[in-house]
Amino acid sequence: MSRIIAAALAAAALLPLATSAQAQSVSRETTRETTTTTREGNTTTTTTRATTVGGSASVDADALGAALAGALMGQGGRQEPDWRRRVEPARPQDVFGAWLADDGGRDVGGCRMIFGQRGFLGVRGVETEDCPSRLAQISNWRVENGEVLLFRGPSDQGGPRLSLVEGRLLGDGLMLRREGDDGPGPRADDADDRDDDRRRGGGWGAPVSQDAYAGTWRHIETTITGHRRECTLRLTTNPAFGAMQGSASGCFDDLMFVNSWRIEDRQVVLYKAGGGTVAILRGGPNRLSGRAPGGEEIVLYR
């Protein structure tokens, strides 16, 4: 309740800055009568005085609503960058070729990045020209769930994650544009808190430990003839370009393609070569359940 009151007070403080849109005026007058009796000798005098007190107040309804909404937004959460609402899923063919980097004038200068087409298991190479050391160290990239992930080597777990917006790549305070793209367009903000939340597992509660889910898991598959068979899935903590290495043994359905995994928003996400999602699982360290993109139910247990 105290936060709501504080938000309302903040809105009142913002009212002088609002633009008048629709004013509502309220006025009130109050009349008071005062009677005084005085006595001098045998003479009594009674005097009655009437006093009118008036006042008025104006309220800009639209400005008050906007200011209150802005104050409540400031109390309840942060607004996402405008370009986030225009994100498109990136494909490898959207990324191939040369890009010019821009970080708002900090230190990239004439940095140029060339995204190669050749690679292995969806991980491709990056070449850099005239880039500061923090970008010159980037050596690889891949597309994962529609985002472009950049890596400084196989063990890198915290490289930039870029989104495709109107032909540009944005994220982590970095913007990549094609050569010749000099017009106005979306630009990345200096600090993208949403990316920070994603790396922390969604920002709710304590971070989920990868060690709690690493190890050998079992899964029961049912064949088309109705037979049940067990296969195993091994999740390791060995880094693999923004994820951890994983493998399957004896599986014949979607799980047979698993080659990496990671924790995202407190969920265990299984990937296949190239960055495609095999399954998104929820649960605890001893049992996980979810569905594959095709609708097949997947249950893992220790």
Side-chain angles (χ1 to χ4, degrees):
M1 182 63 70
S2 61
R3 291 184 178 180
I4 297 176
I5 295 174
L9 293 176
L14 292 174
L15 281 177
L17 302 178
T19 301
S20 298
Q22 178 182 356
Q24 298 179 355
S25 178
V26 178
S27 61
R28 176 177 298 176
E29 292 185 354
T30 302
T31 301
R32 294 181 179 179
E33 292 186 356
T34 304
T35 301
T36 305
T37 301
T38 59
R39 177 174 296 180
E40 294 182 2
N42 296 324
T43 303
T44 300
T45 302
T46 301
T47 303
T48 301
R49 293 181 180 179
T51 303
T52 301
V53 179
S56 64
S58 297
V59 178
D60 186 340
D62 290 348
L64 177 60
L68 181 57
L72 292 175
M73 176 62 71
Q75 292 289 327
R78 52 181 176 265
Q79 292 181 314
E80 290 186 340
D82 179 68
W83 58 263
R84 281 287 182 194
R85 296 190 290 271
R86 307 193 301 276
V87 169
E88 310 166 39
R91 303 167 300 172
Q93 56 265 39
D94 297 323
V95 185
F96 297 148
W99 298 79
L100 300 178
D102 185 351
D103 64 352
R106 281 182 292 176
D107 63 355
V108 297
C111 175
R112 186 169 181 265
M113 306 180 73
I114 302 95
F115 290 72
Q117 299 187 28
R118 301 181 61 181
F120 180 68
L121 297 179
V123 178
R124 299 173 170 88
V126 176
E127 297 181 5
T128 61
E129 299 176 356
D130 300 324
C131 296
S133 59
R134 62 187 177 88
L135 296 180
Q137 295 174 9
I138 293 176
S139 58
N140 299 93
W141 71 280
R142 77 174 182 186
V143 172
E144 179 180 291
N145 294 333
E147 293 184 310
V148 179
L149 278 63
L150 307 182
F151 306 99
R152 298 176 179 87
S155 61
D156 186 10
Q157 299 289 314
R161 302 173 69 96
L162 308 180
S163 299
L164 179 64
V165 186
E166 299 177 3
R168 296 181 176 183
L169 296 174
L170 298 90
D172 284 339
L174 183 67
M175 186 268 285
L176 302 183
R177 57 182 174 86
R178 292 294 190 182
E179 295 176 304
D181 178 9
D182 299 322
R187 306 183 71 85
D189 52 337
D190 291 337
D192 193 341
D193 293 333
R194 178 174 171 173
D195 291 334
D196 294 338
D197 284 347
R198 178 168 45 229
R199 295 196 188 105
R200 289 194 296 264
W204 297 99
V208 178
S209 171
Q210 299 169 349
D211 295 334
Y213 295 95
T216 301
W217 294 81
R218 293 176 172 81
H219 172 63
I220 301 297
E221 295 181 334
T222 302
T223 66
I224 58 176
T225 60
H227 291 86
R228 293 165 61 86
R229 62 184 176 218
E230 182 180 273
C231 71
T232 59
L233 192 70
R234 180 167 176 77
L235 306 181
T236 76
T237 55
N238 299 326
F241 294 99
M244 278 73 67
Q245 295 177 359
S247 61
S249 176
C251 299
F252 291 90
D253 291 325
D254 296 278
L255 291 180
M256 69 181 296
F257 300 107
V258 171
N259 82 329
S260 62
W261 71 286
R262 62 180 293 164
I263 295 175
E264 295 184 12
D265 296 332
R266 304 180 69 83
Q267 301 174 114
V268 175
V269 185
L270 306 178
Y271 296 103
K272 58 185 175 182
T277 301
V278 174
I280 299 177
L281 308 175
R282 300 178 179 179
N286 295 314
R287 187 181 187 277
L288 293 169
S289 62
R291 292 189 180 276
E296 175 201 359
E297 183 179 13
I298 295 178
V299 177
L300 304 181
Y301 64 93
R302 295 288 193 179

